[in-house]
Every structure is written in C-alpha cells, then in structure tokens.
C-alpha cells in the first residue's frame, strides 16, 4: 500500500506540472495575426481586391455590359447570361466572400495604422477599403460596412447604400486630411504593389475614387454629386494621371491576371466567353482597330443566344492575356470621369481635351493610335457642338469600350446610371438593330428587364439574421431610381 | 526447440497420469477451429474419473455405454457427449460465446460479460477470416446491432463505421480502435487534389482507405465492440463515439509449436454499374452528326447518347483522320460500359507459428495480400505485408507481454470526381460514363497504335479516352507502419496488481500522384475543335505520425464478505501525438512523362502541416458484486488536454451502471442492465487561437498566390480563434437486457439508448461579411436515440446438423436540438446547388435546394415559353441522409464437417446526392431520358402562372431540342433537386460461404491437425429502389468517417463482386 501511495504522489506531481506542457495549442506552421507587419499584410490585401474585381466581377460585368456572350458549346456562365444568377452561384457568392476576406486584412492594416499614426498606410488602406466597398454596394445595395470585419460582431448590421456612400466619402476625407509628412513608422515601399510607395499617387487615386462615388449619384442625389464634385474642382484637386492598377503578372498558374487565370487557365475550356454582337458590331461598325485584339476572327453571338445552332468554330472568342494589369481605376477612366464632371459642373471646360486624351490613352494601351478616331469627322470625334446628352453618350460609350476586358462591371453600372449605351427596341437578329445597343438576352428570363444587381449569397442570409430580404435581380440599386 | 522439448515432456507426463480402467475404451480427437486441442479435460459425468487430451488432441478413456463424457477447456464451451455404440468419439469444441464469455474492456482488462451494465458485442477472429477481406471490419456489416458499416468499393478504400449515429459534424464520428490496450490511428488516407483539407471536394479526390487497413485480420483473436458511453468512459474522450477493442492472437503456453497456414484466392468482377438506356446512340438534340473541325458537318463528335433511335444502319462515326473515318453498325451494345472492367484478383497468404513453454507463449504471423481490382491495369492494385508478434513470459509475480506489428502497404488509388484540367487531369469514371451507348469501349483501349483513339483524334472533344486516363494518370500511396506495446504487470500483493504499459504507433507515409500533359497536334481535330488540354501535374506528399500512449494502473480485487466482491482500479495515462505532413504540388509540366517536382517552371504549391497534441488522464473504476448476481460499476475520469485553453483544459466525467441477473438456471438466463454515462470531448487542434497564413487571393476558379512579383505576404486566417471553448459533454442513458433460453436455442440482446450531446464543438460558420469563415465553439446540441436488437435462434440442432439464425436490427433517431444563436441552419457540405445542412429540430444532414415551383394545388408551375418547370427562388427541404433502419440477417448451417453461411443486409431510407445520375442525365445515357420515347412532351400536371394568383393549364410542350436540355441542370436547374438527390436504400446479399473441415482421419496421415477448405462470395446481389438505377449507395468518393462525406458520390468507382477460395491448414 505504501508503494501505491508513493506512486500516486508521483503521478499527481506529474499532473500538476502538466499545464505548462499543455500550453502548446498554436499552429506551429502559421503566424499569429499580431505578427503581421504592414509590409507583410499589404501585398495580399492588394491582390485580394484585384482577384475579386478582376475575376468574379469582371466576368459578370463583362457579360452584362455585353462584351461577351456565353459560348454556344458550353454552359459555364449561362446563369449570368440568362439573368438567373441566384443566391448560391459561386461566381457571385465567391466575389462577396473574397471581397470581405480581403477587407479583413485591409481593415486590420487601417486599424493598426491609426493606432501607430502611420498616415501613409492609413491612406492606402482607406483607399483599398473604399474602392472594394464601392463595388460591393453597387452590386448588392445595402451591405455590412460599419460593423463588418469585426471579430467581436458575428452578425454585422447592413448599412443602406446611401449610408455607405456617405461614409465612404467621410472615410476618404478623413484619410486625405491626415498629414502624410507627419506619418510615423515605416514608409511604404515595394510592398505597395500599386504605386511602389508613391503617396502622391495614392492621394490622386483617392481623389479619382471620390469623383467616381459622387458621379454615381448624379441621378439619385444630384445635389450631393454636384456639391461634392464642385468642391473638388474648385480646390484644384489632382486626379489620377496614371493607372491605378496591379501589374507584375506572369504567365504561370496562380500568378497571372485573374480573369485569364480563372476563365482560360483553370476552367475546362478556354472558349466560354464569345464575342457579343453588341460590342463586336459597335467596333465593326466603327472600323475600330481594337476589334481583332478583343476577339478572334469569327462572327459574334447575339447576347444570350447560347442555344444557337451555328458552328461553334465560326464564333469569335474573347482574347485575354495572362499578363494584363488589373485596373482599379485606369488613367483613361479617370479622364472620362473628369470630362463628364467638366460637362456637368464646369461648363464643359477642357472636356474635349480630357475625352480625347482618354480615348487615346486606351488606344495606346493596345499599342494603337487613336488620333484618327478622335480627329474631326473621325468615328469617335467629341461632339463639341452637340447637346449635353450627345457628349455624355460619347464619354460613356468610349468608357464602355475602354473597359474591355477587365472592367465591364463599371460599364454595367454606368449603363444603368446613364442609359448609355441605349437599349435596343428590337432583337439583335432584327435588321433594324443598331450596332452597339444593349439587347435583352435571347434566353433572358426576366421579361425584358435587365439585371440590376447581385443577390445576397445564401451563406450570408443563412448566417446573418441582419441580412435584408433578397429582392429580385431586376430591382434597381438606389442610385438608379 | 527448447520449448518443444519441454512440451513433449509435459504431455508425456500428462498422458502417463491419465486414469486407466473400466469396460470399454473410448478414444478420439478433440479439435477446435485451429486444430487439435491438447489439455482438454474429459470427465465422466457424475464421477471423478477423467483424462486429458495429448498434444495431438487425442484421448482415450474407459467408459460404459450411456455414460456422459464432459469435455471442457478454458475459453471453450463445455460439451457433453453420450457414449454410444461407437468406440470413437471425436469432438469439436467451439469458443465459448454469447453470455458466459469474457469481454475485454478498457486497458485490456477482461471482464465477465455478465457483470457489464452496458452493451458490448464480441466477435471472434475466425468470423473475420471466414471470408477473406483486406480490412477486418468489412465482413462485420449487419452482424453487430447498433453499428452501421459501409464496405469499401475498391482494394484499400475505406470501411466506414458509425456506432449509434452521428454525434458530431466534425470528422470524429468513427470509433476508437484499441489493439491490446493501446489506441492506434484510424486516420483517413484520402485527400482532395488541393492538399490536406477535408477530402470532400467534387473536383478530384480519392479514397485511400484509413490506417485501419494496416490491420491483419488473421492476427485478430477477438474484437469487442463497445458501443455505449459507459463502455468507453475509461478510454476517454477519443472513444466518445464508441470503441473497437481488438485482442490479437496469442500462443498457448504449454503447447508445442503449431503452424497454421491460411491461403485464399479470390476473383472480383464489377458489381453495380449504372443501368442505362439501350435505345438511343451517339448524338445531341436527336441529331447524330455534329461538326467537323473546319466547320462543316460530318464528324460524330458528341459525348452523349442524344442521337436517333438505333436502326442497325452501318455508318461512319468519330473524327475524320487522314480522310478516313471508322465504320460501325448503329446498334446498341448492352454492356459496353461493363466490358471496360476486367477480373480482379486477390491472393492472401498467411502463416502463423505459435506455441509456448511453461511460462512463455508466442504467436508470430506473417500475412501477404496481393490484390488488383477490377479496373484494367494496376491502377487499383495493392500489396500489403504484415508481421505481428504477440509474446509473453511470466514469473511468480510478474507478467511481461510484447505486442509488435509491422505493416507495409503499397497501394494505387483511383481518383474520382470531375477531374482538373489545370492540374492532374481527368478521372476515368467521369470519362467512362459519358461514352455514348453503342460505342464499343474496349475497342478504345489501344490509343498508341490506333490513330482514332489517341488524344488528337478521339471521337469527342468533350471527354477523354478512359484508357488513356487510367494508364497515364496515377496515384500511388506507400506506408510503413509500426505499432505495438509492452505491458508489464506485477502482483504487489495477492490482491493488488500494478500494470504499466507503453505503446507506440509510428507511421511513415508517402503519396505520389501525377497527371499527364495533353496538348494537341496543331491541325488535328481536337486542336481545331478546341478540345480541353491538360496542364499536367505532380504531387508529392509525405506524412509522419507518432503516437505514444502510456498508462499505469493498479487493480485491487477482494471478497468483502461471502456475498460481496469488490474490484477497483486506479490509474493514469499520458498520450502524445505528433505529426508532420508536407505536401508539394506543381502543375504545367514541361517534359512529358517525367513526373518530378522539378519538371515545371511554375512555383510549386507547398503545404506544411505540423502538429502536436498532448493529453493526460487520471481515472478510477469500482465494481461491487453481490452473490455474482448483481453488479454495480462506477467509473470516473479526469482529462487534461492541450487543445483547450489553459484553465479550461481539465474536465471530469463519471459513469454508473448496474447489471442484475434475473435468473440463471443453466437452461435459461436473463440479465437486465441500466446505466448512465457522461462523456466529454475536447476540441480539435488549434481552434483556440487565430492564425495568419500565406496570402491567397480568391479569383473565382483561379487565385493569386504568393510569392508574387518577388514579394511574400500573409493574411489573417479564415478561422477565428476562440479561447472560450469548453469541453463538449454527452450524457447517455442506456437500458437493456440479455437473455439466453432453452440452452442457447434462443438468445436476445436488446438495448435502448438516449444520448444527448450538449455544446458539441463545431465550427460555427460566420457570415463572410465578418471576413472570417468560422469559429469553433460549443454551438450545437444533438440527440441520438436508438434501439439495438440482436437475436439468435437455433431452429435445428442435432449432433450432425445445426441451423443458426442471427438477426440484428438497428434504428437510430438523430435530431439537432439547437444551433448556434442566430443561425437557422448550418452548412455541412454542398455541391451543384444542393446544400447539406444541420437544421434545428431535424436530423443531421438535411438536403436543401431550389426545387420546382408547385402551386397550392400541387401542380408544377412551368415557364410559359419553354414548358420547363420554374425553380423556387429559395431553398426548400428535399429530405435527409439519415437511415430509417439497418438490419442484418445471418444464416449458418452446419452438417457434419460442412458449414454454410450467408448474410443479408438491409439498410432502409436516407438520401444521397448522385453525380452519376447528374452526368448520365446530361449525356442521355440514363433510362430516365427515354421518357415518352424522347418526343416532345408537356410536363405532367403542369400549369402556368397567370400572374394574378391564378393558374391555367400548361399547353407548352418541352420542344424537341429542349428534351435534351430537360435532363441537364443548365436548362432545367430544378432537376438537381428532383433527380440527383436519390434514395440510398438497398438490400444486399453481403456474403456467402461454404466450408468443409477435412476429416481428421484423412489429414492425420498427411501430418496435419486441421485442414479446411471454403468457397465464398462477397457482395453477390444488390437491390436498390427504382429511383436509383445508378450506383451502389455505399460507394464513396471520399472515405473517412465524417458527416460531410455522407453527402453523396461524385462518379465514385463501382463496387466489386468477389468469388473466392480459401484453404486453412494447421500442423
């Protein structure tokens, strides 16, 4: 019995010392979130924005802005092209998920930058946060914003679209209002994959983004748009004079342009995206030299006509490159926005020059010269003598063409805001069809009403009781009332 | 040979002391299933006259006619034989089964089964080897009440075992496997192409079986299945889903060296392949010609059977190669898919040496299994060598035992799922079942010499030649495994025994997988048709796992009074489990047919996964017995674990049960039992802290990885750490009775249990707007209630003939009682728009999806333009995966030396997702697609919505072109819910065996002590309901024991039917 007692004493000594030994429950293969320095967390934050914008939203946006139609010999994007995109389709639910995944790190950088008074990273994080949130709210309407990405809140409330718009402006103004020269700690460098640490360019990006947010409200809240833009113009705000983009892609798996990677490399066919009659006919009609760079040789497919019995090999296919940059706001997009702002709020001062520069800039991106197109009597000559509507039509139409291939979403939003390009009253098969006009999908199920939004993912609805009721895909976003 | 000498002396001594006298000399041989049995006591009933068998099992005794001889031996059922006319009386003793048996419980402790207050089922080793199986458990299906066992569908695939229902949505629903007192790994060797995550992707996965496949059935003496919580309270949290206690074969001390040889050979053929339509051949939309590469018509290049009805015409088909095309009659080939498979074979050879000296024993078994399944080539071949040693010596006060096992496995696994063209390519099943009716599959085999069959010219750009896939892509697994323990026990006092056991389970595994590059010759038909290329890829994975498990116990045993006995145990244990996995994969191979990581210019994807888990426990158990009629058992255990936050990492749980023998007359016996057990479980690894991982940006089908552009980056991980996780507790109440009536002619064991899990630890899925995917915590309450019935009946029994019927019935009712706050459903898995949920108030595993719109009158609402059913915008419940019941029926007939046995399983109810159904509908190969002879039709009982709350009759027929699309989810999305989630009920003739023990007289001359031959068949017949003509519902694409894998099959490989022959020899 003595032995037994001794052994038990030994055992209990062993057990009381075991708490230290048991404190090993941290994954040895990973860092902890507290270990993440700005320069470690920022590159992934930027690629996160580029991934969702450059793949999920680029494909939906490109089909809905009628650059592309779903191939007649496959079915990958039929739900997009026939407007049945629902609450569970991966192409849109994945976008929502990836956006908030990226925002988790972006907001973590922003929080730490605020604590450290590092105003450089504070501005970068705020611009990224606003940029991706702006797209989210334009796709979905009301979104979690003020309570999103908070580890203490499992069911974030949804801010209304208008609220989100106002908070984004407040947030950008807050970050722009910090004294960058007084920034503490690390200076951004190569970890800034957009501007390599040039904070002046981030200020311009922030300004162009503000301009974009204000312009979107011209119809729903004209006074807000006007006041905001006028204030910027009056204070001589500098807008982007270069591309805000992510480059550095390589033609290899998982490090190439996300649109190419997703649609061409990872899918089981590279032929899914075919030339839509809409953009194809517009370019053809204007003898636009960009046409053979956008599509392979062949006939276009009427929008949504994936049951066509044409020979698949006769239908033109989208051309995408593995090394194209992802443009957040391209130089030309910023110029087009400035041109519109000038026309709306500054008597058109310099609008033509801005427009010309924008068109040219896009031709240059394709290693072409746009001069003859914008010259007098050129196909894309700025209608200086025309009405405001004529000018707006020129600006928005060219912005649409310039959005190929990765920024169709912006063209889609702008079409809803401005009605440009116009909606064709006849099907594309009709002889009276005007090239370049948007046509309702041949297999569209929404009764001649174009899709207006994405539906909240079922995963959000099921897990977050604050999610508003899902409305039909045809319900307009608030700024399109 | 020292042992042998001692044995001979011993036996000699025994034989000279045997009693001599009386009128008539009766002689004979006593054997058991493994041969002659020495040392059997033979006594003339009512006297003290007796003898024992010699080492050849022989005896002789003088007795009178009508005397009764009583044959008894430890561990065997005592038999009485009346002396008749004959002077020869041979007896076969069988293991003492049913109620008097000894059950091995925690830490290898033997308990009389009558003392147990909970359900425990013992199965003897010979039942496991009756029908040769690679995995010792697959033959148990239907034989144990309360256990749902699914068989593997290819050599080396998983055997899924669920005891008393799913109590978790985590991958921990499998039982704990304990070999001679030491738990061993049962981890799944399956994975998705993506790395180390849960292997439940529809894209590309394989079922490489579990570590339990390393067990050699021939080395097992007995298996005890401990189903209830009380049974496992002493094994701790890892046994919260039951425990399977395996005792390996030992030598007999005092026995000369015995040699046993078991050999079997079996042949397998494909069992269920989908039942297909036999009327329509290659084509699409009713047309048999598609496009030529240049754009004209002429080549038949469809991957579906949507062509016209067969008409017998001779016609050209496939691509035009060098201006020529193949000719064939346009007729059906009924078995074109089945013909693809060949005959598989399995050779199992086992040799066992056993014996022992006076104070020692040993048993050494070597077994080799060579198997190659039904898929042509060696893509599903497996070779396993196992060596098992169980040996012991004992002294006056001590006993020392060593159990050591080595297993070496070389396995080729066949990938399933949709395939991955950006990586390791297609999977053969996906390609095979797309082949149109009427195309001769076996004629596609030669893709090197026959230009029509190579990748450039294959008849369709939409799928790949399955022979090419099976030959050029491969997954090879190799594994070295050592497990065993050393056990030392010492009698501290006559009543007090101390035992220390140190066990180890060390595993080194490797996996190589590759897929070949496919590029087309420029100008070839596939190049022009834009056929899908393959990037090619290689994966190398290595894993190392070490588990050490030690315990120290003290057992005290005393009689408190004449009537009152006491047994008590106290102990502590320590376990330490460390592992390291490294997974490296590259795609885009440069040099064809060279499968090394270096063969790519792209960055490899590397996943590193190291872990360590430590646990301690202290436990005690107490049994009080009163007059050997009433037993009270109490246990308590406290555990400390590394997977919970310090301060919350200690937890205690008790159990109590009572067993009372109502009557025991010898002829009749009845025991009633009741118990309560509390069980606790800790969390999985690394759930308490958040992590940061290398950044990956999602981009729909693609991703942007790091390093990128010369930079590295990390991001906050998707799992939010939770320092507040508490242990999860399960309370289980169980009542039951065991009865044996009319001298074992009727036996019954019935149990009812009610198991409530409170705060089960699950990953609560967070809305993605939090930026996180999930947080683990005590979020789920589940209850499982069930009844288990095992009945035995012996309708006939004479000396020469007996008929035994064993019947088991299991019904488990599972209900989710609460979900995380604010969550109305919890997603477990999903694919193709069908989601698999836990929903409060429902059983685990509810299928939901967007179903056809139906109005209040029950009519289907269709699109007025197309006539195709509209799909609801929200998800509706389709059903759930839980079975209604599982039953098994085993019949055994014995006539003299013949034994015939067969088992039938019936598993009723529950749904599964069938990707095979989906693909066959799309390609027009399924019988369902012949509805209305493929003419246009109006969806029966369909209406159109007038938009004002009224409906009018639908007059729009599904037009001819759309008949094809009607069966495809792209055109008719609600078909996912209506046609691809199917009933998984089945009835199966699981096995049948006929064995013959050669008469001793004959084999004796050849020097054998035992010889038997048997023939057997496995999976001989399968019935499934009409809505499932597609698959064997037990095929799995994933393996493992988790609920997520219950979701369904993704072009899983077909099950096999096996016919075999076995020979067992002993000398």
């Amino acid at each position: 019995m003595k032995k037994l007692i001794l052994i038990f004493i030994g055992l209990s000594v062993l057990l009381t010392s075991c708490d230290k030994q048991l404190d090993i429950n941290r994954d040895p293969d990973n860092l902890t979130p507290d270990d993440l320095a700005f320069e470690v967390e920022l590159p992934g934050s930027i690629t996160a924005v580029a991934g969702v914008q450059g793949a999920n939203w680029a494909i939906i946006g490109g089909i809905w802005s009628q650059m592309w139609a779903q191939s007649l010999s496959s079915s990958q994007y039929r739900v997009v092209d026939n407007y049945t995109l629902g609450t569970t389709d991966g192409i849109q639910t994945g976008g929502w998920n990836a956006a908030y995944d990226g925002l988790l790190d972006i907001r973590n950088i922003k929080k730490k930058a605020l604590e450290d008074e590092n105003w450089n990273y504070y501005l970068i994080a705020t611009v990224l946060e606003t940029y991706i949130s702006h797209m989210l709210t334009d796709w979905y309407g009301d979104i979690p914003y003020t309570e999103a990405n908070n580890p203490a809140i499992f069911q974030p409330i949804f801010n209304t679209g208008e609220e989100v718009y106002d908070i984004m402006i407040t947030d950008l103004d807050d970050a722009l209002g910090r004294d960058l020269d007084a920034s503490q700690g690390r200076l951004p460098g190569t970890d800034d994959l957009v501007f390599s640490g040039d904070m002046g360019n981030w200020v311009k990006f922030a300004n162009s983004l503000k301009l974009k947010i204000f312009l979107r409200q011209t119809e729903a809240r004209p006074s807000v748009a006007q006041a905001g833009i006028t204030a910027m113009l009056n204070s001589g705000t500098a807008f982007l004079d270069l591309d805000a983009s992510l480059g550095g892609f390589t033609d290899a798996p998982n490090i190439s342009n996300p649109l190419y990677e997703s649609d061409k490399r990872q899918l089981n066919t590279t032929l899914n995206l075919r030339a839509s009659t809409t953009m194809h006919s517009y370019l053809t009609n204007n003898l636009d030299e960009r046409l053979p760079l956008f599509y392979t040789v062949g006939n276009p497919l009427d929008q949504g006509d994936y049951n066509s019995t044409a020979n698949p090999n006769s239908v033109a296919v989208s051309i995408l490159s593995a090394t194209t940059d992802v443009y957040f706001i391209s130089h030309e997009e910023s110029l087009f926005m400035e041109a519109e702002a000038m026309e709306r709020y500054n008597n058109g001062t310099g609008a033509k020059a801005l427009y010309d520069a924008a068109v040219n800039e896009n031709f240059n991106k394709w290693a072409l010269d746009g001069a003859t197109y914008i010259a007098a009597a050129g196909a894309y000559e700025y209608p200086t003598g025309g009405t405001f509507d004529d000018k707006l039509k020129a600006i928005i139409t060219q912005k649409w063409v310039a959005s190929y291939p990765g920024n169709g979403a912006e063209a889609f939003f702008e079409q809803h805001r401005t009605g440009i390009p116009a909606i064709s009253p006849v099907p594309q098969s009709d002889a009276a069809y005007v090239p370049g006009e948007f046509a309702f999908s041949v297999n569209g199920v929404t009764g001649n009403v174009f899709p207006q939004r994405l539906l909240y993912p079922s995963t959000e609805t099921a897990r977050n009781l604050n999610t508003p009721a899902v409305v039909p895909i045809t319900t307009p976003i608030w700024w399109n009332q | 040979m020292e042992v042998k000498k001692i044995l001979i002396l011993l036996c000699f001594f025994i034989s000279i002391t045997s009693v001599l006298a009386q009128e008539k000399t009766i002689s004979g041989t006593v054997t058991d299933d493994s041969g002659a049995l020495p040392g059997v006591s033979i006594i003339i009933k009512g006297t003290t006259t007796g003898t024992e068998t010699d080492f050849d099992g022989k005896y002789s005794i003088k007795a009178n006619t009508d005397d009764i001889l009583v044959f008894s031996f430890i561990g065997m059922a005592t038999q009485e034989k009346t002396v008749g006319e004959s002077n020869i009386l041979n007896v076969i003793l069988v293991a003492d089964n049913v109620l008097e048996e000894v059950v091995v419980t925690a830490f290898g402790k033997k308990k009389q089964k009558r003392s147990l207050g909970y359900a425990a089922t013992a199965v003897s080793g010979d039942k496991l080897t009756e029908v040769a199986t690679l995995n010792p458990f697959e033959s148990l299906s239907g034989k144990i009440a309360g256990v749902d066992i699914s068989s593997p569908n290819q050599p080396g695939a998983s055997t899924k075992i669920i005891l008393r229902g799913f109590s978790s949505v985590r991958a921990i629903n499998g039982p704990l496997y304990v070999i001679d007192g030491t738990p061993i790994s049962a981890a799944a060797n399956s994975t998705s192409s993506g790395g180390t995550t849960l292997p439940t992707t529809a894209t590309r996965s394989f079922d490489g079986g579990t570590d339990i496949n390393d067990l050699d059935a021939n080395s097992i003496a007995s298996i005890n299945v401990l189903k209830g919580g009380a049974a496992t309270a002493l094994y701790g949290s890892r046994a919260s889903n039951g425990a399977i206690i395996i005792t390996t074969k030992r030598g007999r001390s005092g026995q000369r060296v015995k040699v046993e040889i078991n050999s079997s050979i079996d042949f397998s053929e494909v069992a269920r392949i989908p039942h297909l339509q036999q009327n329509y051949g290659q084509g699409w939309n009713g047309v048999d010609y598609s496009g030529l590469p240049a754009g004209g018509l002429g080549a038949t290049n469809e991957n579906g059977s949507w062509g016209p009805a067969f008409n017998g015409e001779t016609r050209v088909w496939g691509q035009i190669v060098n201006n020529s095309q193949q000719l064939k009659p346009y007729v059906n080939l009924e078995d074109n898919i089945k013909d693809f498979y060949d005959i598989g074979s399995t050779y199992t050879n086992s040799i066992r040496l056993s014996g022992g000296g006076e104070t020692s024993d040993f048993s050494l078994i070597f077994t080799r299994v060579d198997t190659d399944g039904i898929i042509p080539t060696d893509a599903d071949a497996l070779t396993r060598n196992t060596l098992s040693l169980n040996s012991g010596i004992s002294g006056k006060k001590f006993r020392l035992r060593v159990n050591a096992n080595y297993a070496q496995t070389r396995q080729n696994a066949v990938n399933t799922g949709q395939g991955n063209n950006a990586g390791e390519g297609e999977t053969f099943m996906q390609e095979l079942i797309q082949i149109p009716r009427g195309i001769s599959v076996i004629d596609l085999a030669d893709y090197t010499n026959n230009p029509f069959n190579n990748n450039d010219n294959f008849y369709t750009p939409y799928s790949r030649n399955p022979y090419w896939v099976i030959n050029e892509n491969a997954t090879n697994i190799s594994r070295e495994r050592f497990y065993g323990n050393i056990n030392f026990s010492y009698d501290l006092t006559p009543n007090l025994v101390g035992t220390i056991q140190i066990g180890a389970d060390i595993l080194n595994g490797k996996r190589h997988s590759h897929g070949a590059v496919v590029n087309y010759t420029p100008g070839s038909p596939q190049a022009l048709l834009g056929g899908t290329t393959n990037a090619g890829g290689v994966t190398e994975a290595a894993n190392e796992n070490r588990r050490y498990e030690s315990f120290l116990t003290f057992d005290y045993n005393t009689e408190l009074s004449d009537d009152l006995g006491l047994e008590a145990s106290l102990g502590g244990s320590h376990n330490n489990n460390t592992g390291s996995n490294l997974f490296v994969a590259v795609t885009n191979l440069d040099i064809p047919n060279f499968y090394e990581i270096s063969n790519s210019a792209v960055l490899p994807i590397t996943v590193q996964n190291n872990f360590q888990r430590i646990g301690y426990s202290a436990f005690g158990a107490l049994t009080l017995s009163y007059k050997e009629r009433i037993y009270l058992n109490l246990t308590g255990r406290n555990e400390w674990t590394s997977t919970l936050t310090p301060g919350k990492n200690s937890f205690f749980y008790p159990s109590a049960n009572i067993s009372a023998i109502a009557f025991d007359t010898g002829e009749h016996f009845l025991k009633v039992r009741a118990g309560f057990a509390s069980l606790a479980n800790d969390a999985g690894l690394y759930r308490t802290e958040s992590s940061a991982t290398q950044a990956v940006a999602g981009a729909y089908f693609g991703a942007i990885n790091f390093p990128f552009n010369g930079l590295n980056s990390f991001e906050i991980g998707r799992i939010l750490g939770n320092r507040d996780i508490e242990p999860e507790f399960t309370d289980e109440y169980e009542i039951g009775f065991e009865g044996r009536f009319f001298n074992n002619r009727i036996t019954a064991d019935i149990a009812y249990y009610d198991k409530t899990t409170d705060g089960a630890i699950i990953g609560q899925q967070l809305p993605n707007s939090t930026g996180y995917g999930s947080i683990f915590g005590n979020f789920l309450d589940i209850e499982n209630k069930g009844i288990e019935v095992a009945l035995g009946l012996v309708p006939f029994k004479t000396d020469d003939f007996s008929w035994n019927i064993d019947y088991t019935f299991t019904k488990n009712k599972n209900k989710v009682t609460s979900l995380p706050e604010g969550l109305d459903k919890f997603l477990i898995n999903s694919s193709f728009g069908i989601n698999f949920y836990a929903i409060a108030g429902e059983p685990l595993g509810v299928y939901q999806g967007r179903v056809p719109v139906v109005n209040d009158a029950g009519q289907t609402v269709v699109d007025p333009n197309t006539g195709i059913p509209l799909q609801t915008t929200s998800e509706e419940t389709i059903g759930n995966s839980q079975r209604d019941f599982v039953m098994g029926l085993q019949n055994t007939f014995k006539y003299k030396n013949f034994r015939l046995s067969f088992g039938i399983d019936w598993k009723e109810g529950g749904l599964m997702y069938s990707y095979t159904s989906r693909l066959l509908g799309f390609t027009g190969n399924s019988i369902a697609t012949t509805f209305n002879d493929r003419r246009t039709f109006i969806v029966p009982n369909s209406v159109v919505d007038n938009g004002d709350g009224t409906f009018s009759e639908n007059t729009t027929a599904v037009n001819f072109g759309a008949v094809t699309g009607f069966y495809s989810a792209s055109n008719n999305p609600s078909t996912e819910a209506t046609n691809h989630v199917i009933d998984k009920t089945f009835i199966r003739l699981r096995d049948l065996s006929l064995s013959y023990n050669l008469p001793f007289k004959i084999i004796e001359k050849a020097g054998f002590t035992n010889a038997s031959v048997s023939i057997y068949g496995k999976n001989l017949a399968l019935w499934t309901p009409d809505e499932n003509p597609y698959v064997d519902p037990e095929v799995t694409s994933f393996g493992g024991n988790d609920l997520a894998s219950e979701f369904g099959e993704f072009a899983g490989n077909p099950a096999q039917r096996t016919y075999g022959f076995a020979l067992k020899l002993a000398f």
Side-chain angles (χ1 to χ4, degrees), chain A residues 237-361:
Chain A
T237 303
F239 298 104
L240 280 170
D241 50 8
L242 76 173
D243 296 318
S245 65
L246 174 67
F249 294 110
T250 308
D251 186 4
N254 307 312
I255 47 172
S256 54
N257 174 287
L259 177 58
Y260 178 89
E261 180 73 12
S262 187
D263 182 67
K264 300 286 191 196
R265 194 193 305 282
Q266 299 290 343
L267 272 180
N268 58 357
T269 164
T270 57
L271 308 176
N272 270 314
L273 294 175
R274 303 287 180 141
S276 164
T277 298
T278 313
M279 188 175 276
H280 192 277
S281 65
Y282 180 79
L283 297 176
T284 307
N285 207 37
N286 291 299
L287 303 174
D288 194 314
E289 289 173 282
R290 290 174 290 192
L291 178 71
L293 302 172
F294 286 11
Y295 311 112
T296 61
V297 175
N299 300 319
L301 193 64
D302 289 351
Q303 193 69 43
D305 192 17
Y306 49 71
N307 288 333
S308 160
T309 53
N311 174 10
N313 298 316
S314 68
V315 179
V317 181
S318 64
I319 299 173
L320 302 175
S321 157
T323 54
T324 308
D325 285 8
V326 170
Y327 296 100
F328 301 124
I329 297 179
S330 68
H331 182 199
E332 59 268 35
E333 185 188 340
S334 189
L335 292 169
F336 281 126
M337 290 194 293
E338 285 181 73
E340 182 184 341
M342 290 301 176
E343 287 294 354
R344 282 186 187 273
Y345 307 121
N346 202 15
N347 305 314
T349 314
K352 176 178 160 52
L354 289 161
Y355 168 88
D356 287 353
V359 173
N360 235 336
E361 173 66 24

Side-chain angles (χ1 to χ4, degrees), chain B residues 988-1031:
Chain B
R988 187 194 305 277
L989 179 53
R990 171 83 56 190
D991 51 30
L992 185 149
S993 70
L994 175 66
S995 59
Y996 177 65
N997 273 308
L998 272 69
F1000 191 71
K1001 267 186 280 186
I1002 297 169
I1003 59 173
E1004 189 184 22
K1005 287 170 194 150
F1008 295 113
T1009 52
N1010 185 295
S1012 71
V1013 291
S1014 57
I1015 52 170
Y1016 56 84
K1018 288 188 288 185
N1019 193 19
L1020 292 172
L1022 173 74
W1023 175 89
T1024 56
D1026 286 347
E1027 72 177 77
N1028 177 19
Y1030 306 109
V1031 292

